[in-house]
Amino acid sequence: MKYLKVLLVFFIFFGCNREVAIRKPNVIIIYADDLGYGDVSAYGLGKLQTPNIDLLANNGSRFTSGYSSSATCSPSRYALMTGTYPWRNKRAKILTGANLIIDSLEMTLPKMLKEEGYQTAIVGKWHLGLGNSKIDYNQRISPGPNEVGFDYSYIMPDTQDRVPTVYMENGRVKNLDPNDPIEVSFEENFEGQPTGRENPELLSMKWHHGHDGTIVNGISRIGFMKGGEKAKWRDVDMADEFLNQAKNYIDQAKEKPFFLYYALQQPHVPRTPHPRFVGTSTMGPRGDAILEADWCIGQLYAHLKQNNLLENTLIILSSDNGPVLNDGYYDEAVEKLGEHTPAGNFRGGKYSLYEAGTRVPLLTYWKDQIKPSVSDQMVSQIDFLNSIASLIGSEIRTKDGMDLADVLFQNEGVGREEFILEAQTKTAFRRKNWVLIPPYSGPQKNSFVNIELGNAPEYQLFNLEEDSSQQNNLAQSHPEQLKIMIDRYQTILNSN
Ligand code: NG6
Ligand code: CA
């Protein structure tokens, strides 16, 4: 009996440990905001140097055909969290003070991981909405990240350029003084509150389009906010704040498998690198913010290393959409760009149906498990849920995502054959090397941000193999291929 007990203890101890080591790695998703394909130096196209991202890229799998689901933030995050195409959800578009767009019954990546015994946390940008009726920032707001699978949440509710400019921890505004309640409106200003439109003399960074509401830290935002003085973040400290929260979380979670969704705010506007990064890039705040993000990633990596966690941690890094230079503030992103090419050699950018809208840096790193490799297999963030589920032995699968665990984590197998991409509720279709963009009304270019959107009165058909920058529309000259693409695209759109 005694021996049996010893044997049992031995089995549980080593059995579990083995499981932890082989089947249940910690999972960290590092998700940048508006980082372009050419912004990462491992991709070899731009002029910025991102040594810490490169270290992961060069020692893991770097994907050259990796996609976000969408060319904007909230839809991409929705797809990342749910493994579901965002165009199936009418509310999955850029959110401003909106309610939660994930249904409480929907499967999510953190829910799946929780079912497999993981601890789960988000630190950083959420932008998937909060609550299900009028939001009162002076109460605990539910549902939010904690109600769709995260044990712990430390978030910026929407974006850095939207009010309220406060952190929220587990559904509550951090550092809120009950005697100074927060009021928020996206319709009208509160009496006596300076705004970017009326008080430009108070601004340290001027707005170019939009962003003319309440001024916080010398920067005017989208929307109006009153109160909550003590709770307001300092923009220049945001990177350090999220990094420290991420490290703290790792420290307290590291004994058991954990999932950390580290959603960086850079290089989204307003770009506010900490003073120690100002001037490090020669490209103004946008470049400096990317170098700051790169530094944060290096610090996180060093922290994992110090804690002997690298062998047992899968790191995935990507971006929610393609790059933009002028996204609403005068911050010299255009003027100081020089020879740098944030979109690589792809056409378009953030908001665009062309490749640069959704073709983003995407890499996986797992020390001693993923061999250094460059893969041209097509993969999407929408596949992360199913692929991670497959890796850790969960049976859960969502409908639109694929199980690409072999491709993403083993340097083996084949990726997607086809994928519907989305930009501001419009969709396009990639199949093998072909891309179909259906006719859409609307401007050819968003002249504020200076990005071609992909709208055209006729079908556009591109062959990426010979024309990766989408210059030659083959719709007229390749009618059979056009028909194949339209038929297949319609079939997927009509599937439910
Ligand atoms: C747009 C904002 C833009 C950015 C974007 C969301 C204006 C004129 N533009 O509405 O600055 O905030 O929303 O970006 O207000 S995203 O990466 O979160 O999708
Ligand atoms: Ca974004």
Side-chain angles (χ1 to χ4, degrees), residues 282-340:
T282 75
M283 291 175 203
R286 183 175 186 277
D288 297 347
I290 293 173
L291 297 195
E292 179 188 58
D294 183 68
W295 176 85
C296 290
I297 292 162
Q299 293 294 303
L300 191 81
Y301 179 87
H303 195 70
L304 293 168
K305 192 171 177 183
Q306 275 156 23
N307 285 283
N308 293 319
L309 291 169
L310 282 181
E311 286 76 6
N312 197 27
T313 302
L314 166 67
I315 302 174
I316 302 175
L317 184 147
S318 199
S319 172
D320 66 343
N321 51 253
V324 55
L325 293 175
N326 178 347
D327 205 14
Y329 294 96
Y330 287 98
D331 65 3
E332 301 184 298
V334 176
E335 295 79 357
K336 292 196 165 169
L337 186 66
E339 304 281 288
H340 182 56

Side-chain angles (χ1 to χ4, degrees), residues 65-90:
S65 235
Y67 288 87
S68 59
S69 80
S70 306
T72 62
C73 174
S74 307
S76 285
R77 283 160 209 259
Y78 174 78
L80 172 72
M81 286 294 114
T82 63
T84 299
Y85 277 131
W87 45 265
R88 295 194 194 279
N89 179 345
K90 286 207 163 39

